[in-house]
Amino acid sequence: MTGFNRRTAVATLGALAMLSAVPALAQDYPTRAITIIVPFAAGGPTDVVTRLVSEHMSKTLGQPIVVENVVGAGGTTGATRAARATNDGYTLIMGHVGTHAASVALYPKLAYDPRTDFEPIALINGAAIVVAAKKDLPPKDFKEFVAYLKANEAKLNQAHAGVGAVSYITCELLNGIVGIKPVGVPFQGTGPAMNALVAGQVDYMCDQITNVVPQVNGGTIKAYAVAIPERSASLPDTPTSAEGGLPSYQASAWNALFAPKGTPKAIVEKLNAAAAKALDDEKVIARMKELGNDIPKPEQRKSEALGKLVKDEVEKWGKFLKPVG
Ligand code: ASP
């Protein structure tokens, strides 16, 4: 074989290998550990739900799933990292209504667009928002709490997980209805924010029920109201916002899995199927429900349904939130 021919043969073999590598990549996926970015601190609601669901997904997919907490800027630091990650199915993100909807309105220079820079994989949960306060805050019930907010606005500290976090946007909604502007105290997630609430270092916050149930059961904080139409079976003694005299305060959150834009469709489908299977597992369902989470119905779990939800939510929050800074 001449040098020319040898080179040609090597080049041809290389091209063939590349051609067959494309379908093999998706077919064999996953062949190594997958990372799910949680854009908030460990121990918070996004982290808890991610670890619960990913443990089951890992069994289905036959590979470990590593949860990486990439914190900062109300979850947008982690979401930016995920949007820029290699789109091979090995880096995913557990986003939520903040990172993947409300942030668009809050950050005019957001480094990603949740509508176009991700492949939606699956909606994972719905979670009511609970208005929680430190144990020794004086008001006895939600009505008194609202009056207390009005009377003590200047000296109240409201914890949140950064501009764009669920705890930020849903308390903005509450504060707007009540007509107050308390001092906001940012944390890297509502895991650490909850620790501060338990320690009495901050006065109140609005958080996913997931994070509130264990504390209410342990008697470490007060839960004044759930901001959904009916009481939650996980917090049966906590009245609704309507029962507490503020029916216009309705707020809930969701978490969902996303992959960077351009992740092969076959991989997205595999991940979607693994997520859906986790949400059908009795143990996963029992723990999710114990923590007050709603499990999305099969039609809500589809990738396309999540894509539509993101678009609708960006629009919804855009009507209410103004750019910050
Ligand atoms: N629930 C938090 C928030 O967005 C974030 C977290 O999961 O810690 O407010």
Side-chain angles (χ1 to χ4, degrees):
M1 205 185 269
T2 66
F4 172 78
N5 280 344
R6 202 177 303 123
R7 273 201 303 277
T8 312
V10 169
T12 309
L13 281 175
L16 279 174
M18 270 172 69
L19 274 180
S20 59
V22 176
L25 184 77
Q27 249 167 40
D28 300 345
Y29 172 88
T31 57
R32 56 184 170 89
I34 298 166
T35 295
I36 300 184
I37 292 177
V38 163
F40 297 100
T46 308
D47 185 74
V48 165
V49 165
T50 305
R51 287 175 199 272
L52 180 62
V53 172
S54 67
E55 199 186 311
H56 192 281
M57 287 177 70
S58 150
K59 281 188 233 150
T60 305
L61 295 165
Q63 290 292 339
I65 298 185
V66 178
V67 172
E68 191 185 348
N69 301 87
V70 181
V71 302
T76 61
T77 302
T80 302
R81 167 96 69 92
R84 291 176 181 163
T86 307
N87 52 10
D88 57 3
Y90 290 97
T91 307
L92 314 174
I93 180 163
M94 184 67 84
H96 69 8
V97 57
T99 56
H100 281 70
S103 292
V104 173
L106 291 165
Y107 292 96
K109 289 189 186 140
L110 193 63
Y112 61 91
D113 186 328
R115 294 162 293 192
T116 52
D117 289 333
F118 292 92
E119 303 294 342
I121 297 172
L123 182 65
I124 299 297
N125 69 338
I129 295 302
V130 183
V131 182
K134 65 179 180 187
K135 210 178 160 195
D136 60 359
L137 205 73
K140 282 193 307 298
D141 57 26
F142 191 54
K143 229 176 222 144
E144 278 190 26
F145 173 69
V146 169
Y148 186 83
L149 287 182
K150 289 181 185 162
N152 296 280
E153 172 179 3
K155 60 173 197 199
L156 286 173
N157 290 320
Q158 177 228 309
H160 61 74
V163 173
V166 162
S167 45
Y168 176 89
I169 60 173
T170 56
C171 252
E172 278 288 290
L173 199 59
L174 174 67
N175 297 337
I177 293 171
V178 176
I180 59 158
K181 278 194 177 24
V183 176
V185 185
F187 291 82
Q188 292 186 329
T190 47
M194 183 59 84
N195 292 341
L197 195 69
V198 170
Q201 292 156 353
V202 290
D203 297 308
Y204 74 104
M205 73 171 171
C206 307
D207 198 11
Q208 282 114 302
I209 190 166
T210 325
N211 207 26
V212 177
V213 169
Q215 300 302 336
V216 169
N217 290 343
T220 57
I221 58 165
K222 275 180 175 168
Y224 281 123
V226 281
I228 48 171
E230 308 272 324
R231 285 191 187 203
S232 167
S234 306
L235 286 181
D237 299 332
T238 306
T240 65
S241 46
E243 284 177 72
L246 209 63
S248 58
Y249 183 54
Q250 297 292 322
S252 53
W254 46 263
N255 284 107
L257 264 183
F258 298 86
K261 186 78 195 165
T263 301
K265 197 165 190 308
I267 290 180
V268 171
E269 280 168 3
K270 249 186 198 172
L271 289 165
N272 174 280
K277 197 168 170 194
L279 297 177
D280 280 333
D281 179 79
E282 266 174 42
K283 280 197 195 129
V284 173
I285 294 174
R287 183 64 182 145
M288 289 281 260
K289 291 217 157 135
E290 195 182 349
L291 293 172
N293 286 260
D294 297 322
I295 309 279
K297 297 189 187 79
E299 64 271 21
Q300 295 174 310
R301 296 178 201 169
K302 296 204 162 75
S303 305
E304 299 74 26
L306 175 57
K308 184 169 180 330
L309 176 72
V310 168
K311 284 196 185 98
D312 292 349
E313 291 277 270
V314 167
E315 201 173 311
K316 177 182 138 190
W317 286 96
K319 288 188 186 137
F320 157 71
L321 296 165
K322 298 276 162 294
V324 169

